[in-house]
Each structure stands twice: as C-alpha cells, then as structure tokens.
Amino acid sequence: MEKGMTFHLYKVKERLTKPVQRIALQSSAASMEALRKSITQVFPEVTTIIENIEGVSGGGYKILVDDWLIDATLDTEVEILRKKVDAKLHDADDVKKIFRSELDAHEFDAEVSETGRVIEVKDGVATIVGLTRCLNQELLYIGTNRVPALALNLEKKRVGAVILGNAKALKEDDIVYRSEKVMEVGVSEKLLGRVIDPLGTTLDTGETLTYSDYRPIEKIAPGVIERKPVDVPLQTGIKAIDALIPIGRGQRELILGDRQTGKTTLAVDAILNQKGKNVICIYVAVGQKASKTAELVEKMRKFGGMDYTIVVTASAADPAPLLFLAPYTGVTLAEFFAEQGKDVLVVYDDLTKHAVAYREMSLLLRRPPGREAYPGDVFYLHSRLLERACRLSDERGGGSITALPIIETQAGDISAYIPTNVISITDGQIFLEGDLFFKGIRPAINVGLSVSRVGSAAQTKPMKKVAGSIKLALAQFRELEAFAQFSSDLDPATKQQIERGKRIIEVLKQPQYSPMSVADQVMSIYAVSKGFLDDVPVKEIYERVTEILEYVDQHNVELIEALEAGKWDEELEKNLAESITEAVTSEV
C-alpha cells in the first residue's frame, strides 16, 4: 500500500506548479504513519503536516497540498467508474459487461483538483484565497456540505464569491472546490406547469425533475445576421395595447409605472391570452412576496395558464444572489424553447428589484459605487439580459423570445436612472399612470408617453385599419379636453370630438383576467370610431359593446373567422358595418 501511495504522489508532484510547504491529510484505510512516510519521501521540503482535513469513509486518503486536493479515496474511484458506466449504459443486461470492461481499462490514480480556502464569510459573501484558475461566474462548492457559491470578483490573490445556499453553515478555513464550469441551469420540456427557483430546484408539490441537459445562464445575444424582422403580432388580448402599442414576437416592450398601478396584471393577462396560440410563457418573479407569487400561480391554474407556463421565483426572503440569477435563468429556459422553433413570452417582474439586488451584491463585494450607489455596469446588467430577446433566423431554429420587463417608478418619474436605462434598451414602453388608475381608467395606460417602436408592423390587417383613426381621435381628445376646461362655450364639432373621445376611453377599459380575441377587439374599436356608439350614454358603453359582440358572435360566424384570420377588404368592412348596425338596432 505504501508503494502504491508513493507512486500516486510522484505522479501528482509532476502536476503541481508550486513548492509544497504545508500538507493536510486524512486516511482511514492506510495507516497514518505509512502515509506520512510516503509524503516525506516525495515532498522532503514539507514543514507542516496537519491531520483530519475531511472525513474519508470508504478507504484511501485525501491530501490538501496548498491549493490542490489530491483525492485517492475508494469512494471517488467508484464514482468515476459509475459515471463511465452510466454514459455507455442503454440496456440493463449490459451492466455487468460494461462494468467489467471499464474496470479492466480503468487506471487507478489520485484525482487532483484545485481548491481554495475561505478566509472570511460575511453578509452572504465569502472571501477565498487560492483558486488561481477560477473562471468568472464559476460555480463553487464550499465546505463539507458543498454549499454552492458564485465567483464574481477575481482579484490577484483572492476571489469574492456570493453564497447561493445556507451561509450560516460556512466558517473560516472551509475548503472551496471548483466545478470548473460557469453557472448552469437545467432545461427540459417537463418544466412546463412547474414552479422553480433560479437554481432549477422545483418548489411545487410535483415530482422531482432530473435534467438531461444543462445550459450556462450567461450567453452572448444573437447577432444581426442570426435574427429576423419582428413582424408577427403577439396578441396580448388587451385592446389598449393591441390597438395603440402593438407588440410583436421577438420584441422587448417595457412596462413601467408606480406601485399598484396594474403592471403585473397587464403581464399576466398577456400570458393568459396565449392559451391555444402555441406560445410558451415564462414568468420570472424577482423580489416579490412568496404569498403574492403563490396567489398568482393559483390564478393562472384556474384559467388554464399554467399548462404552458414556467414560473421562476426568487422571493423577497431569498438572498440577493438568487434575485440576481432569476432573470438569467428565465431567459436561458426561453432560449432552449426558441431554438426548437417555438415562440416564448418572458415576463420579468420586476427589474427594479433585480438592480437593487445587484447593487447590494456589488457593494458587499467592495465594487465602487456610482450614481445612486449603483455600480458602473448596472446598464450592462440589463442590456445583456434583454438583448437575448429576439426573433431567430430559420438557421437558428426560427423561434422567438418576446420580453416584457417591468420597472417600478417613484411618483411617476420615468426619467430616473434605472427607468431610463431600460427604456434605452427596449423597443418601446407602456407607461401606467397612477392618476388614470385612480380615476377608474384601467388599464391605466398613458397613451402620450407609451410607444411601440415596432408599430403597425406587429398588427393584423383588420387591426391596422381600425386602429389608425382611434390614435388620432384619442390625441385630439386629450388636447381638446384640457382646452375645454377653460371654455364654457364650445362649437358643435369640438363637443362631438370630446364626446367621441370619452366613448373611446370607455371602450378601451378592460376588467382583469378577461383578455379579448382579435375579432372582438376589432369590432369594439370599429363600433366606437365609426360613431355607432355616439348616442349611447357614456356609463352604458361597456354594457352596450358587450351586447354588440355577443350578437355578432351568434349571428355572423363567417365574419368572426375572417377577422381572426387577418382578412380585410371593402366587402368585409361593409359586412362588419351592417352586422354592428343590426346589433345596435336589435338592442334598441
């Protein structure tokens, strides 16, 4: 046994790059004295030998030599053999044959891996010495419990890592093991309908998942050549958005507004509207209350939304590193589906808390603070996330990732640091105004400050035709409404425009969890913009529009099918006008 150990140690010494002054060891199978003798024979310059670095249960020995761990335990050899057998195993009858061939070919030798040592654990951050070959954002394991950590600060003599597990279980002098891989997350189609944390662990009551494929959470966004133009609508089912601020598949549309103005409601309604439309949805909850996320999941289950949705959650009670990872886990899952040719909708709720979590981590890692104490790379934090949303070319799979990031403003200030950062990254924004919300205009979209940089390219032909006039009418109404407050005597044309504007706003109101089909949206907007509702009192508009839609749905199925298919011509418009006239007169 001593001869074999000495042979292993000589082979290990050839791989070491530093002179060895200090060795820690543990052995249960060989006698400690024989092991000491072998060490001093191979490493005569050693000045210190420390016992009991870590338990060895199955026989063999472990030696810690500076930053290197020499592992010659039986448990490790068995694990290496098991992985080799698993990689080749297809049929249970082959187990014995494959194991025998691998055993014959296996060369028993000590495993050598680079390790580090914890010199300080404070506020969820571990300072580590050693790990000279550590990668940026590499996954590390600390201590006997293998608590995961993420390497973020790579300095000349030390590494700063944020702890992703139980920091209380760690202490000074714990050994740090490298994974030699950047942070990865498991991907699988079985995740649909599940709730997971940013590390891929399932949080619901379903079966525990095993992942066959893992992907790094950080990835360079596709280049221009790998993308297609955004010209396919992503229907949200919300009239005010699909008509005025259309979203295309592959677009990045920011939703921003103060607390309690309906931002999450807007995003959830968009998810619910994807039912039956071949769109996979991923909802990323960053820093939300766990109870709020659980309530939202139950609502989506009730309406059938969880059948095609994955929820990634890092709650307010979780450590900042998990909040930092959550959006990247979400977009990594989205890329997995998009590269299979599928369309994906990702909601990040919300990126304000994401930026705050990153600021907390950065300050604890001693990175220099800048404006509002955010680090200088906070713009890059969000740009490298949102740039991954796109419509892929056919060569890349042909799928798309549509991103709906949510940002919380303070007192409606969209010119603050984080809101302006994300506005400049995205392809438009939907601004929800608190004053409108409290007036009962819901969704409380400020049409003047909201914009879609894709525009009518992401609308069906019928919606494009009917929505053009409503934009102009709304803009005129806003201007005249402010003017009319200072004048009691208005001409009939101005009065008529103001009354039409009031009815348009009533038509654009929409209750929570009630997304509308394209045909119903087109008919609603056409009815109000062409004056069919001019004689209806404003308070009765919602009820009357509902009656019109029900009448046409029952009496003109061909028209509904044509509008859903995106068809539009003079004859179809004439048919639509006649159907609405019939509905109005029948109600009267």
Side-chain angles (χ1 to χ4, degrees), residues 238 240 260-262 266 436-445 505-506 508-512:
I238 300 164
Q260 302 294 317
T261 51
L266 215 62
L436 295 176
F437 184 85
F438 297 121
K439 285 179 184 175
I441 300 173
R442 300 175 188 177
I445 297 174
I505 287 173
E506 285 299 315
L508 292 178
K509 287 182 183 179
Q510 202 165 330
Q512 192 175 5

Side-chain angles (χ1 to χ4, degrees), residues 135-139 150 181-187 198 213-220 325 327-336 339 388:
L135 305 172
N136 184 35
Q137 294 204 10
E138 182 177 341
L139 185 63
L150 187 66
K181 292 180 181 178
V182 295
M183 184 71 195
E184 294 180 325
V185 66
V187 292
D213 191 16
Y214 285 81
R215 294 193 173 206
I217 61 165
E218 291 276 9
K219 188 178 177 185
I220 296 174
L325 289 176
Y328 295 103
T329 298
V331 76
T332 303
L333 296 174
E335 284 174 337
F336 168 71
E339 287 169 11
R388 290 163 73 176

Side-chain angles (χ1 to χ4, degrees), residues 214-362:
Y214 285 81
R215 294 193 173 206
I217 61 165
E218 291 276 9
K219 188 178 177 185
I220 296 174
V224 175
I225 306 301
E226 298 173 287
R227 301 177 182 232
K228 281 199 295 189
V230 176
D231 54 16
V232 178
L234 181 106
Q235 303 293 348
T236 64
I238 300 164
K239 288 173 285 190
I241 294 177
D242 292 343
L244 303 173
I245 317 147
I247 299 171
R249 298 190 181 188
Q251 188 175 341
R252 299 153 299 177
E253 186 77 8
L254 171 64
I255 301 172
L256 76 166
D258 289 0
R259 284 187 74 250
Q260 302 294 317
T261 51
K263 301 186 296 296
T264 301
T265 300
L266 215 62
V268 171
D269 280 352
I271 290 174
L272 295 179
N273 195 55
Q274 304 316 309
K275 189 173 183 178
K277 291 185 171 61
N278 260 347
V279 177
I280 290 168
C281 299
I282 299 172
Y283 177 80
V284 183
V286 183
Q288 306 294 326
K289 290 180 182 176
S291 58
K292 180 184 173 183
T293 305
E295 186 181 337
L296 186 142
V297 168
E298 284 308 309
K299 280 287 183 185
M300 289 208 286
R301 280 197 210 283
K302 179 182 176 182
F303 291 102
M306 284 301 290
D307 297 341
Y308 50 87
T309 301
I310 303 169
V311 174
V312 181
T313 177
S315 73
D318 288 327
L322 290 182
L323 273 66
F324 160 70
L325 289 176
Y328 295 103
T329 298
V331 76
T332 303
L333 296 174
E335 284 174 337
F336 168 71
F337 292 107
E339 287 169 11
Q340 298 176 30
K342 298 174 182 176
D343 293 308
V344 188
L345 170 64
V346 190
V347 175
Y348 304 108
D349 188 10
D350 63 59
L351 291 188
T352 307
K353 294 183 179 69
H354 183 233
V356 169
Y358 186 65
R359 175 173 64 185
E360 180 185 332
M361 283 168 40
S362 299

Side-chain angles (χ1 to χ4, degrees), residues 13 52 66 90 148 159 329 331 372 404 429 479 491 575 579:
K13 188 175 183 180
N52 302 318
D66 283 347
H90 300 289
V159 171
T329 298
V331 76
E372 295 177 33
L404 295 181
Q429 69 273 352
E479 191 174 337
D491 63 274
N575 185 4
S579 296

Side-chain angles (χ1 to χ4, degrees), residues 186-202:
V187 292
S188 169
E189 294 191 5
K190 292 181 180 179
L191 282 168
L192 292 174
R194 304 301 299 272
V195 180
I196 63 171
D197 70 8
L199 303 178
T201 308
T202 51

Side-chain angles (χ1 to χ4, degrees), residues 6-15 107-109:
T6 308
F7 172 72
H8 287 169
L9 291 171
Y10 272 119
K11 290 186 73 175
V12 167
K13 188 175 183 180
E14 292 175 9
R15 284 180 265 179
E107 182 182 347
F108 286 85
D109 188 15

